[in-house]
Amino acid sequence: MWLRGNMLSYKTLLIIGLLILFAIPLLGSSYLDFLFSMALIYSIWALGYNFLLGYTGLLSFGHGAYFGLGAYTVAMLVTKYSFRPFLPVLGIAVLVATFFGAIIGFLCARHVAKYFALLTLAFSQLFYALTFKLYHWTGGSDGIVVKSLDFFGVEVSAIKNPIGYYYLTLIFFLVSVCSGWRIVNSPFGKALQAIRDNPLKAEAIGIPVKRYKWYAFIISAAYSGLAGALFAPLLGYAYPDLFHFSFSGEVLFATLLGGHRVFFGPVIGAIIFTIAKSYIIATVKYWPLVLGSMLVITALFFPHGIIGTIYVVLKRRGSKTP
Amino acid sequence: MREILVTKGLTKFFGDFKAVDSVDLTLYEGTITSLVGPNGAGKTTLLNMISGVIKPTRGKIYFMNKDITGLPPYKIVKMGIARGFQLPCVCNDLTTLDNVRIAILSHMGKVRRLFSLVDKDKEVYERAIKILKTFGLYEKKDLLAQDLSHGDRKLLDVAMAFALEPKLILLDEPTSGVSTSEKSKIMRTIEKVIREIGITALIVEHDMDIVFSYSDRIIVMHEGKIIADGKPDEIKSNKRVESILLGVE
Amino acid sequence: MIEMTRFILDGFFYASILFLISSGLTLIFSVAGIINLAHGALYMLGAYIAAVLIKSLINTPYAILAFPIAALIIGLIGIIIERGFIKWIYEREFVYQLLLTFGLALVLSDITRITFGTEPIYVTKLYIHAGIIDILGSPYPVYNFIVMAVTFLIGGLMWFIMYKTRAGKIIRACALDREMSEAIGINTSRVFTLTFFMGSALAGISGALVVPQSAAMLGIDADALIESFIVIVIGGVGSIKGAFIGSLLIGLIRAFGIALFPEIELAIVYLVMAAVLLIRPRGLFGKEYRVA
């Protein structure tokens, strides 16, 4: 009885949440439009990230790389090569991120967890260094400014049309959530969870573990690339710090904040994180210090995250009813 | 009777320690063979090599006339060998139902599917329910594997192996850690399934009463070597086997 | 030919610094099982502390004390980190260990930035003061030789401690089998703390030693962490010999790369790492993994 009541309210919560998201622009503040666009972008990033962390059990410290690749691809296509059609640009950006995700994932995914984490970090830093070295092409520490894109004749600009850009982001967010949910509940998704729980048994029932870890990595990179691609026009700018390991820490924290063992955990975590970050950055000049401290506290005291802890508590109570 | 598994000179060294010493073994289709011997005799290592978890130092393994030496476990599984583990090896954060389902999905080659929903697959669900009922796990199908009792976790481990519809099944002490009253019940279930489908089985077991009750053949290992191999009556009357198993030698 | 000698010597210099920092990392990893992601931040902090000390003592003969003092301070910080934070998560899943040290890395590096500012600190005076020596007709800084000699000494000292003293034997026992060591009465938590002290001190001294040759500046934490990790990947975890060979390899590649192919020097290092990962995932001298 308790669990069923839970299911109903779960769906209700989702609908309410969706309605709130649709209603954000009605509040009439372009700052809020911007903030929530950013929150949804981080949600897409966190969703993709959690394929690896929550569902396959792999911890990556270098996911800023695929986000950054998505952002830089958009920036370069639009600004350097004057190629502005929105959907093709987005598509190419996702492809580029996925391509590098495939290569790096191949090198990393066959390794034991501790090596894996540092390897992902190393490759992200490689991109960071390359961005500076190849400054003729990438703009070096200045980054690349992104102006507007073109969607069948309509100008896509987050500055000129924040409401329009918000709804665009919302659409991609919904696509990501729906596709993500299907993947997670597919046979492949279950296989990933089996790998997470018991790689030995997973292999013993015929799952090629290393190969599937690689696939999970590729999918994760694709979502991260999409997030980065939506990010560049929003902020108006792609910059090297996206590849720095501290930026990768943000998606890790957002995911854990919400709870990495629940599907919507990362989404909620990302939204809360973005809002919190905007307030913290406005008041304090020590963002890495704050982020680092929050990571330390989470590691020590809140392994399940906010949503995760609620979920665990409810489950305990639910399974105690006869 | 047809030979289904043949090992030739199978040897495994761990550093200087010879765990398995030049084992020549032939298993015949449709038989249940027990593998017995004191701790450290090399039984689990032998199973590990056949199932691909460990690579042999020397020697070869042939399954249905194909050389499977050194292949990765998932490939060996695809060829028809399934494995149960000594310590229950299940996916803790998945439900009992999901554990069996993932084994079935893997066996049916559906595990690659990205966009279909597991819950909507009727055929897989029905197959899973059938297996759960056979092993007495149906009532616990929605429990997380980590919430099951030790005995049920062992059963789940074995059930997942059977879900793969193997031609050869390797079981490692399927009744260990289970209460004595349940032991024979579990073995009877396992034996029934094996005989009905005609699977070949190699079962590591310590409880000699159980071994004598179902085995077609008993192989005795000691210090990495096979020292006796024959029908239960022959082994029963073998004095040297008796002293080894009692730990006297 | 003269250039070649210079490159090789530079390579040995980089290798020395790398060897110190990566043996610290591999020591902590093989004994306590923790990859300390804050290791690079400790290196950077060591550099800044040494830089400031050298600058203030530059006109006295005590400037040279800056190095051991920096090492000691970083070693103590290592103890604080281990006792205050890391000891709580030894038994937990590795995800939380990595998360914790990652957070600590961010905190430490930002504290360094807040304390010392964003401008690099140079102590070229000391570098020049050490003098120039004539190698095959071309000048080479003496300081670099001093660093190589110090590294050699420290390496020798470590070898002596690990293989010839009782403490070293205990540490190695813990590295091999923690449970067994506990069972025979070794106080493993004290061993872990000691290991963190030693490993962090190594990071501190290598940061300190590199300052006169380049500078104490922000950003060297990430580079140091990555490079020492690459050394360990190539050389294999838990192997001092591997760290030695790996450092030599990376040091020489850096020296030749910076001089000959500055654009792709970085890429070469990563390519070597990728190649090793593909061909011999355990590294050149790595030991078989326990349950990781």
Side-chain angles (χ1 to χ4, degrees):
Chain A
M1 231 3 244
W2 170 255
L3 270 175
R4 223 187 305 147
N6 213 15
M7 287 297 281
L8 271 179
S9 59
Y10 188 60
K11 278 212 175 114
T12 325
L13 278 174
L14 278 180
I15 297 181
I16 296 178
L18 204 60
L19 287 172
I20 295 179
L21 284 179
F22 267 102
I24 295 286
L26 300 175
L27 295 168
S29 154
S30 45
Y31 175 68
L32 273 184
D33 299 335
F34 173 84
L35 187 64
F36 273 86
S37 298
M38 191 63 83
L40 292 179
I41 287 174
Y42 266 68
S43 301
I44 298 175
W45 193 22
L47 198 68
Y49 185 75
N50 206 34
F51 282 134
L52 274 184
L53 180 59
Y55 289 98
T56 317
L58 290 172
L59 176 61
S60 158
F61 280 115
H63 257 56
Y66 315 103
F67 188 95
L69 281 167
Y72 264 90
T73 308
V74 168
M76 283 197 210
L77 286 172
V78 168
T79 308
K80 284 205 174 279
Y81 300 111
S82 298
F83 183 69
R84 298 172 56 239
F86 185 71
L87 287 176
V89 166
L90 222 63
I92 296 175
V94 171
L95 278 171
V96 169
T98 312
F99 174 72
F100 283 102
I103 297 178
I104 295 174
F106 185 76
L107 290 172
C108 298
R110 52 209 354 240
H111 288 282
V112 170
K114 289 174 181 176
Y115 260 22
F116 174 83
L118 248 147
L119 280 173
T120 55
L121 194 156
F123 281 110
S124 184
Q125 286 296 124
L126 173 63
F127 283 111
Y128 182 67
L130 282 176
T131 313
F132 286 107
K133 273 216 190 315
L134 305 171
Y135 60 89
H136 294 298
W137 195 40
T138 65
S141 51
D142 294 330
I144 304 182
V145 172
V146 181
K147 295 227 174 81
S148 61
L149 288 98
D150 176 85
F151 188 70
F152 297 114
V154 177
E155 197 187 7
V156 176
S157 160
I159 302 178
K160 295 191 189 153
N161 189 355
I163 296 180
Y165 200 80
Y166 174 75
Y167 280 120
L168 205 57
T169 314
L170 184 59
I171 293 175
F172 279 101
F173 169 75
L174 290 171
V175 167
S176 303
V177 166
C178 291
S179 58
W181 195 85
R182 278 196 88 95
I183 292 177
V184 150
N185 287 297
S186 70
F188 179 73
K190 290 284 179 197
L192 290 184
Q193 291 172 68
I195 292 175
R196 171 197 66 197
D197 285 346
N198 199 331
L200 179 62
K201 187 65 173 179
E203 183 100 16
I205 57 177
I207 297 176
V209 170
K210 285 191 188 137
R211 208 193 307 164
Y212 275 38
K213 283 185 181 175
W214 183 37
Y215 293 166
F217 198 97
I218 297 176
I219 296 176
S220 179
Y223 279 76
S224 306
L226 175 64
L230 290 168
F231 174 85
L234 178 67
L235 195 63
Y237 160 58
Y239 54 96
D241 268 352
L242 296 175
F243 294 113
H244 192 260
F245 69 83
S246 52
F247 188 63
S248 295
E250 294 196 7
V251 72
L252 170 59
F253 182 61
T255 306
L256 289 174
L257 180 67
H260 62 295
R261 288 306 189 100
V262 190
F263 180 75
F264 280 103
V267 168
I268 311 242
I271 295 177
I272 299 179
F273 175 82
T274 314
I275 300 175
K277 178 184 176 187
S278 68
Y279 281 107
I280 296 178
I281 287 212
T283 33
V284 148
K285 265 182 295 177
Y286 315 129
W287 173 240
L289 182 61
V290 172
L291 178 62
S293 314
M294 294 199 283
L295 284 170
V296 170
I297 293 174
T298 307
L300 289 175
F301 304 114
F302 299 111
H304 292 293
I306 295 179
I307 305 300
T309 315
I310 298 177
Y311 187 71
V312 165
V313 166
L314 286 177
K315 236 211 193 141
R316 287 274 149 79
R317 278 211 251 163
S319 62
K320 283 208 186 111
T321 27
Chain B
M1 265 197 297
R2 255 205 315 195
E3 295 174 352
I4 190 174
L5 184 82
V6 178
T7 74
K8 289 207 166 88
L10 203 53
T11 308
K12 181 66 186 175
F13 278 96
F14 288 114
D16 284 332
F17 173 62
K18 200 188 253 185
V20 174
D21 188 353
S22 225
V23 162
D24 295 319
L25 171 67
T26 307
L27 291 177
Y28 298 94
E29 220 179 331
T31 59
I32 301 183
T33 307
S34 284
L35 185 58
V36 303
N39 281 323
K43 310 189 293 292
T44 303
T45 311
L46 185 61
L47 288 194
N48 281 339
M49 284 194 281
I50 298 176
S51 59
V53 172
I54 295 182
K55 283 204 198 350
T57 316
R58 278 203 296 268
K60 290 238 171 262
I61 309 171
Y62 297 93
F63 178 65
M64 304 199 355
N65 292 319
K66 296 204 197 74
D67 186 352
I68 64 168
T69 323
L71 284 183
Y74 78 89
K75 282 205 180 139
I76 293 184
V77 167
K78 291 284 175 212
M79 292 176 77
I81 301 182
R83 162 96 194 257
F85 292 85
Q86 194 173 351
L87 291 173
C89 196
V90 296
C91 297
N92 283 320
D93 263 312
L94 293 177
T95 60
T96 310
L97 174 63
D98 273 341
N99 266 277
V100 177
R101 274 203 287 201
I102 187 70
I104 296 174
L105 285 166
S106 170
H107 175 62
M108 290 174 76
K110 286 187 177 180
V111 141
R112 250 171 305 140
R113 303 230 182 130
L114 219 48
F115 286 111
S116 58
L117 292 176
V118 169
D119 289 327
K120 292 255 163 79
D121 195 327
K122 275 218 162 88
E123 191 190 350
V124 169
Y125 183 76
E126 261 143 43
R127 285 205 203 185
I129 296 295
K130 195 157 156 262
I131 290 181
L132 286 171
K133 285 195 173 148
T134 311
F135 285 90
L137 291 170
Y138 178 73
E139 276 81 36
K140 303 166 189 157
K141 68 174 167 56
D142 292 319
L143 287 182
L144 287 184
Q146 64 186 351
D147 295 332
L148 293 175
S149 69
H150 179 91
D152 283 337
R153 283 155 58 87
K154 277 224 76 139
L155 273 176
L156 181 57
D157 184 11
V158 172
M160 287 169 80
F162 277 102
L164 296 170
E165 296 180 358
K167 300 192 189 65
L168 167 65
I169 193 160
L170 310 168
L171 294 177
D172 202 340
E173 299 190 41
T175 65
S176 83
V178 169
S179 65
T180 340
S181 51
E182 290 197 300
K183 262 190 209 246
S184 44
K185 192 182 92 178
I186 291 174
M187 257 337 279
R188 260 183 285 132
T189 312
I190 293 178
E191 192 194 349
K192 184 158 163 277
V193 176
I194 292 178
R195 298 277 186 215
E196 258 172 22
I197 313 179
I199 306 176
T200 315
L202 178 64
I203 306 181
V204 171
E205 184 54 74
H206 272 299
D207 186 331
M208 293 311 290
D209 289 329
I210 295 199
V211 167
F212 284 122
S213 70
Y214 68 73
S215 311
D216 299 322
R217 176 179 166 207
I218 302 178
I219 296 178
V220 186
M221 272 184 86
H222 181 50
E223 289 174 353
K225 295 203 249 299
I226 295 182
I227 57 152
D229 179 354
K231 298 214 185 53
D233 293 326
E234 299 163 19
I235 301 295
K236 229 187 221 176
S237 52
N238 185 321
K239 288 292 169 198
R240 184 169 175 235
V241 167
E242 192 184 325
S243 57
I244 285 179
L245 291 179
L246 286 175
V248 170
E249 187 164 312
Chain C
M1 183 55 208
I2 297 169
E3 297 230 305
M4 185 75 102
T5 326
R6 211 212 152 79
F7 295 158
I8 295 180
L9 290 173
D10 281 345
F12 287 165
F13 174 76
Y14 292 134
S16 306
I17 304 285
L18 261 180
F19 175 71
L20 290 174
I21 186 175
S22 48
S23 33
L25 190 63
T26 199
L27 180 67
I28 295 178
F29 188 27
S30 53
V31 176
I34 307 271
I35 291 194
N36 185 11
L37 294 176
H39 203 66
L42 290 170
Y43 166 88
M44 183 167 78
L45 189 57
Y48 272 97
I49 292 177
V52 159
L53 282 174
I54 293 176
K55 268 196 120 77
S56 53
L57 297 171
I58 189 69
N59 292 314
T60 73
Y62 301 116
I64 208 171
L65 288 177
F67 299 99
I69 294 178
L72 193 62
I73 296 179
I74 300 296
L76 289 171
I77 295 180
I79 293 183
I80 295 175
I81 291 178
E82 198 269 333
R83 291 281 94 197
F85 299 95
I86 306 216
K87 81 160 185 223
W88 304 109
I89 44 114
Y90 278 126
E91 300 302 314
R92 294 246 227 108
E93 276 177 68
F94 75 95
V95 177
Y96 300 109
Q97 296 173 358
L98 288 173
L99 187 65
L100 180 66
T101 55
F102 185 73
L104 288 171
L106 289 177
V107 167
L108 268 174
S109 70
D110 218 24
I111 289 181
T112 308
R113 178 184 65 93
I114 296 169
T115 316
F116 296 102
T118 53
E119 291 302 314
I121 305 182
Y122 299 93
V123 291
T124 20
K125 249 197 191 171
L126 186 70
Y127 194 62
I128 299 174
H129 187 70
I132 313 259
I133 196 174
D134 209 8
I135 301 284
L136 297 180
S138 101
Y140 195 76
V142 172
Y143 182 78
N144 289 14
F145 283 113
I146 297 178
V147 168
M148 293 183 226
V150 168
T151 304
F152 206 69
L153 277 168
I154 295 180
L157 183 66
M158 272 196 341
W159 180 85
F160 183 78
I161 293 178
M162 291 305 246
Y163 289 96
K164 296 283 179 188
T165 67
R166 194 161 165 271
K169 225 182 255 180
I170 293 179
I171 293 179
R172 279 186 295 131
C174 278
L176 221 52
D177 195 330
R178 190 200 312 181
E179 268 173 56
M180 210 50 206
S181 308
E182 288 250 329
I184 63 177
I186 293 179
N187 185 341
T188 47
S189 71
R190 228 185 275 164
V191 173
F192 289 164
T193 311
L194 177 65
T195 309
F196 256 90
F197 172 76
M198 286 170 59
S200 308
L202 281 166
I205 189 93
S206 75
L209 286 171
V210 90
V211 173
Q213 191 259 357
S214 57
M217 57 186 164
L218 298 176
I220 59 178
D221 53 344
D223 297 332
L225 179 67
I226 308 283
E227 278 184 7
S228 52
F229 179 67
I230 293 180
V231 165
I232 294 179
V233 165
I234 294 179
V237 181
S239 166
I240 299 289
K241 188 175 29 167
F244 182 69
I245 305 275
S247 312
L248 219 50
L249 191 61
I250 299 297
L252 287 169
I253 292 179
R254 274 196 85 198
F256 279 88
I258 288 184
L260 301 173
F261 312 110
E263 292 302 312
I264 61 168
E265 164 250 331
L266 191 62
I268 301 182
V269 171
Y270 274 87
L271 274 170
V272 173
M273 174 176 79
V276 172
L277 283 174
L278 280 173
I279 305 173
R280 260 193 85 104
R282 223 186 299 143
L284 299 175
F285 298 99
K287 314 209 164 86
E288 183 100 44
Y289 254 110
R290 288 194 316 243
V291 182

